[in-house]
Amino acid sequence: WDNAAVTTDQRGQPRPNPAGSRCDAGAYESPSGTGGTGGSAGPDLVIRSLSVSRQTLSLYCVTASVANQGSAPAGGTSLRLALSSGPSGGTVVATLPVTSLAAGASTTLTRCLNLPIDSRRWLVATVDPLNTVAESNETNNIRAVRFR
């Protein structure tokens, strides 16, 4: 040991640790070389919260918090809002732009909409509805809320 920064692991793979950090020769390394359990890396967009508040007889304001809970940045995409008679599907009533989000970042979007007065009382929100962002989990992009 000459106290020089270690740049590769025992398999010759680049070390993810910053240059100059000390090496723990007994440390566990995952198959991805980043430590931990070896889970998928990448962005993971989710809708953390979704609410609908009535303003007038037919005017409703929708607020959604979109987060990137992944380990990599997510490029810009969109949030689709649909009116439905159940917690999935529905008729699209608005599409809002979602800016790029760094890993761990979130943004809050609000849109007021005139909705028809009928039996459809679910608002279904889908982030990245066209799958333009390659995510580590593509199955958690929808959230629905029932409203009056």
Side-chain angles (χ1 to χ4, degrees), residues 2 15-16 20-21 32 35 38 42 52 58-59 63 69 79 83 87 94 99-100 108 124 127 134 141:
D2 62 4
R15 283 183 38 82
S21 63
S32 65
V52 179
S58 63
L59 182 66
T63 301
Q69 66 182 16
L79 178 73
L83 188 59
T99 60
S100 299
T108 300
V124 181
V127 65
N141 293 8

mmCIF file of all heavy atoms in Angstrom, residues 2 15-16 20-21 32 35 38 42 52 58-59 63 69 79 83 87 94 99-100 108 124 127 134 141:
data_model
loop_
_atom_site.group_PDB
_atom_site.id
_atom_site.type_symbol
_atom_site.label_atom_id
_atom_site.label_comp_id
_atom_site.label_asym_id
_atom_site.label_seq_id
_atom_site.Cartn_x
_atom_site.Cartn_y
_atom_site.Cartn_z
ATOM 1 N N ASP A 2 0.753 2.021 -1.033
ATOM 2 C CA ASP A 2 1.595 3.209 -1.141
ATOM 3 C C ASP A 2 0.803 4.495 -0.915
ATOM 4 O O ASP A 2 1.274 5.586 -1.235
ATOM 5 C CB ASP A 2 2.306 3.248 -2.491
ATOM 6 C CG ASP A 2 1.332 3.325 -3.653
ATOM 7 O OD1 ASP A 2 0.101 3.417 -3.421
ATOM 8 O OD2 ASP A 2 1.791 3.285 -4.801
ATOM 9 N N ARG A 15 -13.436 2.044 -9.886
ATOM 10 C CA ARG A 15 -14.061 2.234 -8.575
ATOM 11 C C ARG A 15 -14.993 3.428 -8.638
ATOM 12 O O ARG A 15 -14.639 4.465 -9.173
ATOM 13 C CB ARG A 15 -12.999 2.485 -7.504
ATOM 14 C CG ARG A 15 -12.295 1.218 -7.083
ATOM 15 C CD ARG A 15 -11.292 1.446 -5.977
ATOM 16 N NE ARG A 15 -11.657 2.406 -4.966
ATOM 17 C CZ ARG A 15 -12.447 2.166 -3.913
ATOM 18 N NH1 ARG A 15 -12.941 0.983 -3.753
ATOM 19 N NH2 ARG A 15 -12.701 3.098 -3.036
ATOM 20 N N PRO A 16 -16.189 3.319 -8.048
ATOM 21 C CA PRO A 16 -17.108 4.445 -8.033
ATOM 22 C C PRO A 16 -16.751 5.504 -6.994
ATOM 23 O O PRO A 16 -17.286 6.596 -7.025
ATOM 24 C CB PRO A 16 -18.448 3.795 -7.696
ATOM 25 C CG PRO A 16 -18.090 2.579 -6.924
ATOM 26 C CD PRO A 16 -16.768 2.115 -7.499
ATOM 27 N N GLY A 20 -8.902 9.662 -4.360
ATOM 28 C CA GLY A 20 -8.337 10.116 -3.099
ATOM 29 C C GLY A 20 -9.024 9.516 -1.894
ATOM 30 O O GLY A 20 -8.544 9.643 -0.772
ATOM 31 N N SER A 21 -10.181 8.851 -2.099
ATOM 32 C CA SER A 21 -10.841 8.243 -0.940
ATOM 33 C C SER A 21 -10.113 6.952 -0.584
ATOM 34 O O SER A 21 -9.488 6.316 -1.418
ATOM 35 C CB SER A 21 -12.313 7.962 -1.248
ATOM 36 O OG SER A 21 -12.436 7.020 -2.288
ATOM 37 N N SER A 32 -23.317 -4.508 -9.804
ATOM 38 C CA SER A 32 -23.237 -3.261 -10.578
ATOM 39 C C SER A 32 -22.006 -2.447 -10.195
ATOM 40 O O SER A 32 -21.732 -1.427 -10.801
ATOM 41 C CB SER A 32 -24.497 -2.417 -10.347
ATOM 42 O OG SER A 32 -24.566 -1.993 -9.000
ATOM 43 N N GLY A 35 -21.942 -0.980 -4.765
ATOM 44 C CA GLY A 35 -22.265 -1.291 -3.382
ATOM 45 C C GLY A 35 -23.753 -1.531 -3.233
ATOM 46 O O GLY A 35 -24.525 -1.389 -4.163
ATOM 47 N N GLY A 38 -27.398 -3.937 -5.597
ATOM 48 C CA GLY A 38 -27.296 -4.141 -7.032
ATOM 49 C C GLY A 38 -28.577 -3.826 -7.764
ATOM 50 O O GLY A 38 -28.826 -4.350 -8.829
ATOM 51 N N GLY A 42 -31.046 4.506 -12.503
ATOM 52 C CA GLY A 42 -31.771 5.294 -13.491
ATOM 53 C C GLY A 42 -32.833 6.135 -12.831
ATOM 54 O O GLY A 42 -33.066 6.055 -11.628
ATOM 55 N N VAL A 52 -57.714 17.196 -5.812
ATOM 56 C CA VAL A 52 -58.670 17.937 -6.629
ATOM 57 C C VAL A 52 -59.520 18.769 -5.684
ATOM 58 O O VAL A 52 -60.088 18.241 -4.725
ATOM 59 C CB VAL A 52 -59.578 16.980 -7.431
ATOM 60 C CG1 VAL A 52 -60.586 17.764 -8.255
ATOM 61 C CG2 VAL A 52 -58.745 16.068 -8.322
ATOM 62 N N SER A 58 -68.505 23.809 -11.747
ATOM 63 C CA SER A 58 -67.790 22.932 -12.683
ATOM 64 C C SER A 58 -66.281 23.182 -12.742
ATOM 65 O O SER A 58 -65.582 22.476 -13.458
ATOM 66 C CB SER A 58 -68.374 23.093 -14.092
ATOM 67 O OG SER A 58 -68.182 24.414 -14.548
ATOM 68 N N LEU A 59 -65.777 24.164 -11.999
ATOM 69 C CA LEU A 59 -64.345 24.456 -12.016
ATOM 70 C C LEU A 59 -63.644 23.740 -10.859
ATOM 71 O O LEU A 59 -64.013 23.912 -9.698
ATOM 72 C CB LEU A 59 -64.084 25.960 -11.920
ATOM 73 C CG LEU A 59 -62.617 26.393 -11.964
ATOM 74 C CD1 LEU A 59 -62.007 26.086 -13.331
ATOM 75 C CD2 LEU A 59 -62.484 27.869 -11.632
ATOM 76 N N THR A 63 -53.877 19.570 -8.232
ATOM 77 C CA THR A 63 -52.484 19.765 -7.833
ATOM 78 C C THR A 63 -51.817 18.391 -7.745
ATOM 79 O O THR A 63 -52.338 17.485 -7.093
ATOM 80 C CB THR A 63 -52.386 20.491 -6.477
ATOM 81 O OG1 THR A 63 -53.046 21.754 -6.586
ATOM 82 C CG2 THR A 63 -50.946 20.716 -6.075
ATOM 83 N N GLN A 69 -37.704 9.625 -7.926
ATOM 84 C CA GLN A 69 -37.145 8.893 -6.791
ATOM 85 C C GLN A 69 -36.016 7.957 -7.221
ATOM 86 O O GLN A 69 -35.542 7.154 -6.432
ATOM 87 C CB GLN A 69 -38.241 8.124 -6.062
ATOM 88 C CG GLN A 69 -38.874 7.006 -6.852
ATOM 89 C CD GLN A 69 -39.984 6.310 -6.077
ATOM 90 O OE1 GLN A 69 -40.487 6.827 -5.082
ATOM 91 N NE2 GLN A 69 -40.366 5.130 -6.518
ATOM 92 N N LEU A 79 -47.360 15.248 -17.829
ATOM 93 C CA LEU A 79 -48.310 14.666 -16.878
ATOM 94 C C LEU A 79 -49.667 14.725 -17.556
ATOM 95 O O LEU A 79 -50.135 15.800 -17.927
ATOM 96 C CB LEU A 79 -48.336 15.462 -15.568
ATOM 97 C CG LEU A 79 -49.335 14.967 -14.525
ATOM 98 C CD1 LEU A 79 -48.841 13.664 -13.890
ATOM 99 C CD2 LEU A 79 -49.556 16.015 -13.446
ATOM 100 N N LEU A 83 -60.249 12.113 -16.879
ATOM 101 C CA LEU A 83 -61.479 11.991 -16.098
ATOM 102 C C LEU A 83 -62.040 10.606 -16.356
ATOM 103 O O LEU A 83 -62.171 10.178 -17.508
ATOM 104 C CB LEU A 83 -62.470 13.071 -16.537
ATOM 105 C CG LEU A 83 -63.736 13.234 -15.732
ATOM 106 C CD1 LEU A 83 -63.426 13.566 -14.276
ATOM 107 C CD2 LEU A 83 -64.612 14.310 -16.351
ATOM 108 N N PRO A 87 -60.624 4.081 -11.123
ATOM 109 C CA PRO A 87 -59.248 4.527 -10.830
ATOM 110 C C PRO A 87 -58.222 4.289 -11.942
ATOM 111 O O PRO A 87 -57.024 4.333 -11.699
ATOM 112 C CB PRO A 87 -58.901 3.745 -9.572
ATOM 113 C CG PRO A 87 -59.718 2.508 -9.660
ATOM 114 C CD PRO A 87 -61.002 2.912 -10.346
ATOM 115 N N ALA A 94 -56.412 17.130 -19.838
ATOM 116 C CA ALA A 94 -55.291 18.076 -19.859
ATOM 117 C C ALA A 94 -53.974 17.310 -19.903
ATOM 118 O O ALA A 94 -53.878 16.178 -19.416
ATOM 119 C CB ALA A 94 -55.318 18.979 -18.632
ATOM 120 N N THR A 99 -40.857 19.458 -16.178
ATOM 121 C CA THR A 99 -39.465 19.793 -16.483
ATOM 122 C C THR A 99 -38.537 18.647 -16.091
ATOM 123 O O THR A 99 -38.925 17.741 -15.359
ATOM 124 C CB THR A 99 -39.021 21.061 -15.729
ATOM 125 O OG1 THR A 99 -39.146 20.823 -14.328
ATOM 126 C CG2 THR A 99 -39.868 22.259 -16.114
ATOM 127 N N SER A 100 -37.306 18.702 -16.572
ATOM 128 C CA SER A 100 -36.296 17.724 -16.169
ATOM 129 C C SER A 100 -36.149 17.753 -14.657
ATOM 130 O O SER A 100 -36.214 18.817 -14.048
ATOM 131 C CB SER A 100 -34.946 18.065 -16.805
ATOM 132 O OG SER A 100 -35.050 18.042 -18.200
ATOM 133 N N THR A 108 -44.154 20.631 -8.270
ATOM 134 C CA THR A 108 -45.594 20.650 -8.049
ATOM 135 C C THR A 108 -46.261 21.373 -9.207
ATOM 136 O O THR A 108 -45.845 22.467 -9.591
ATOM 137 C CB THR A 108 -45.936 21.349 -6.724
ATOM 138 O OG1 THR A 108 -45.300 20.623 -5.660
ATOM 139 C CG2 THR A 108 -47.430 21.378 -6.479
ATOM 140 N N VAL A 124 -57.472 10.649 -12.974
ATOM 141 C CA VAL A 124 -56.345 9.727 -13.120
ATOM 142 C C VAL A 124 -55.173 10.510 -13.714
ATOM 143 O O VAL A 124 -55.292 11.087 -14.793
ATOM 144 C CB VAL A 124 -56.709 8.539 -14.035
ATOM 145 C CG1 VAL A 124 -55.537 7.579 -14.159
ATOM 146 C CG2 VAL A 124 -57.951 7.819 -13.504
ATOM 147 N N VAL A 127 -47.751 10.207 -15.124
ATOM 148 C CA VAL A 127 -46.518 10.917 -15.470
ATOM 149 C C VAL A 127 -45.788 10.083 -16.525
ATOM 150 O O VAL A 127 -45.803 8.851 -16.465
ATOM 151 C CB VAL A 127 -45.629 11.190 -14.229
ATOM 152 C CG1 VAL A 127 -45.110 9.909 -13.611
ATOM 153 C CG2 VAL A 127 -44.480 12.126 -14.579
ATOM 154 N N ALA A 134 -36.675 6.674 -20.091
ATOM 155 C CA ALA A 134 -36.363 5.282 -19.747
ATOM 156 C C ALA A 134 -36.151 5.225 -18.236
ATOM 157 O O ALA A 134 -35.191 5.791 -17.719
ATOM 158 C CB ALA A 134 -35.123 4.816 -20.485
ATOM 159 N N ASN A 141 -46.220 4.876 -12.474
ATOM 160 C CA ASN A 141 -46.391 6.232 -12.991
ATOM 161 C C ASN A 141 -47.822 6.757 -12.906
ATOM 162 O O ASN A 141 -48.098 7.839 -13.412
ATOM 163 C CB ASN A 141 -45.931 6.295 -14.450
ATOM 164 C CG ASN A 141 -44.447 6.086 -14.606
ATOM 165 O OD1 ASN A 141 -43.754 5.745 -13.661
ATOM 166 N ND2 ASN A 141 -43.939 6.285 -15.794
#
